[in-house]
Each structure stands twice: as structure tokens, then as C-alpha cells.
Amino acid sequence: MVIEPRVQELLTLKVIASTLNQSNELAPMLNTVLEKLLDLTGLTAGWIYLIEDGREFEFVADYGLPPAVEIDDKRPMRRGMCWCLYQYEDGRLKNAVNILNCKRLEDAVELQRGDTWGITHHATVPLQAGDRRFGLLNVAAPGKTHFADEELALLQAVAYQIGGAIERMRLYAAEQTAGRPIRPGRRVRPLAQRGRQRWHGPRAARRTGRGADRRAL
């Protein structure tokens, strides 16, 4: 039976909301919700970066990545810059967009790292809650070079759900640590601190002359 697009959209949002409400740990929640999203939308690969203060990014969740970017404990995904991170850092990335091509996958092909399964492009969606930004959600599929407006709108709605869940979990963690309530919107320390990389985007590179791949101290 063919499900009407609007019904499928509502079903997706319902399943994602239910998944987000079932977990109190950030990384497992993001991996689970990413798998659910791909299954419901028919996409095959996805990954999430959390970004702190516009400068440090952490590769926290993925599903269905091709072998070319899974080598060396997924080092190609954890190190270096890419177009979506540059756009996020510059403040240009406000809504779900099509990325013309993925730099990480392009590099994998150029360096002959392995099979990319025909994935060349992806959609990028900022994760946010109100005016707070938390990172990026990227999704892709072999041979898919363009996401329709309806697909981007659904991804944007899911990203808002994820952003709201991240905000709630961080507020709760801060409450438990400090033993006192934290009002919404107040900045708190992130839950996860491992595996971060500080990037030097275009503006920072011009100021410092350092490359984009230097790790945070």
C-alpha cells in the first residue's frame, strides 16, 4: 500500500518524537534517531556533527557510511573541514540545504580510499532550538544529487525535534551536576567532551595563517 506523502511525513515526525523521548543519553539517542530517520525516508547514509561555540566539532553519530570514509576508525569523517562546516561557521547555514557535492567523499575518491557506493551529494540541516545552534545533520543516498523542497522541509522539522531534545538533555545534565535548575536558553557545558577538533575556518585562517586540520589543544 502506497502511503500519501503527508501521512508519511506525520508518521516520520511521530516516530522520531517517540524515539527522542525514550533515551537519556545523547550519543545513543542520536545514533538511534538517525537510523530511524533513514529507514523512514528511504535514505541510506547519515552522520551528525555537534559543534560548540562555532569552533569545535565532534563527529558523534553515523549510520550506513560507505567503506571509503570508514577507514582508520572513520578518520576521514573526524578530521579536516568540509563545505557544510564552512557554511555553518560563516553563519550562512540557516535551513536545510542541498550540498552540491561532499568534500569528504570527493577526497576519498581522489585518494582512492575505497568504495563510496555512488554517494556524492548530501543534504545538510542545522540542529537548533530557538536561537541556539548545536551542530549539523547530513543525509545521503547513492545516486541522489538533489533533495526536493518537501524533503528538505521534513528534514528541517526533524532537525528541530533533535535540537530540542539536545537542549533538554543538556539542561537536565546541568541540573543534576549543579543540583539546581537551569533556565532554558542558559549556556551549559556539553555532555560529551571526547573526540573534538577545533577548526580554523576561512576567517580564522586569514587571521592566523594556520590550516583547518589543527587539533584543539
Side-chain angles (χ1 to χ4, degrees), residues 2-214:
V2 177
I3 302 177
E4 292 293 329
R6 179 57 178 167
V7 174
Q8 180 63 50
E9 177 182 339
L10 293 174
L11 175 62
T12 300
L13 294 175
K14 178 181 178 181
V15 171
I16 296 299
S18 175
T19 302
L20 292 172
N21 288 330
Q22 291 175 6
S23 178
N24 290 320
E25 296 185 31
L26 185 58
M29 177 199 76
L30 293 176
N31 276 286
T32 300
V33 78
L34 183 58
E35 181 178 356
K36 293 281 189 183
L37 174 62
L38 296 175
D39 181 58
L40 289 164
T41 58
L43 301 170
T44 60
W47 58 99
I48 294 175
Y49 290 108
L50 292 185
I51 303 170
E52 289 299 322
D53 299 321
R55 306 306 302 168
E56 293 182 340
F57 71 91
E58 183 181 7
F59 179 69
V60 294
D62 68 275
Y63 187 82
L65 293 179
V69 292
E70 285 208 313
I71 62 170
D72 194 14
D73 192 28
K74 303 173 185 175
R75 182 183 177 88
M77 304 300 293
R78 299 180 184 278
R79 300 294 299 274
M81 287 297 293
C82 56
W83 311 130
C84 54
L85 288 175
Y86 277 133
Q87 290 192 22
Y88 185 96
E89 189 252 356
D90 281 349
R92 288 178 289 162
L93 192 59
K94 305 294 185 182
N95 299 295
V97 298
N98 284 284
I99 294 295
L100 295 181
N101 44 17
C102 177
K103 184 178 183 300
R104 298 183 190 279
L105 291 167
E106 277 188 342
D107 290 346
V109 171
E110 182 177 348
L111 297 172
Q112 299 182 340
R113 287 174 173 157
D115 194 353
T116 61
W117 290 344
I119 299 175
T120 58
H121 298 57
H122 64 78
T124 292
V125 198
L127 301 175
Q128 55 194 46
D131 60 354
R132 293 286 312 282
R133 302 193 307 163
F134 302 106
L136 293 173
L137 163 67
N138 293 336
V139 292
K144 189 171 182 63
T145 60
H146 181 78
F147 289 77
D149 289 344
E150 295 79 9
E151 293 176 295
L152 294 176
L154 175 58
L155 293 173
Q156 185 71 65
V158 170
Y160 279 128
Q161 288 182 311
I162 296 173
I166 294 173
E167 175 81 336
R168 291 193 301 272
M169 294 178 75
R170 289 184 169 179
L171 291 173
Y172 177 78
E175 275 188 18
Q176 298 303 302
T177 300
R180 55 189 174 86
I182 305 294
R183 64 180 180 276
R186 178 177 172 180
R187 294 192 64 79
V188 297
R189 291 186 62 81
L191 295 181
Q193 294 288 348
R194 296 180 295 107
R196 291 241 178 90
Q197 180 179 347
R198 183 180 298 275
W199 79 64
H200 300 278
R203 294 175 303 198
R206 287 194 293 270
R207 291 196 302 270
T208 66
R210 290 176 292 188
D213 291 344
R214 181 180 293 274

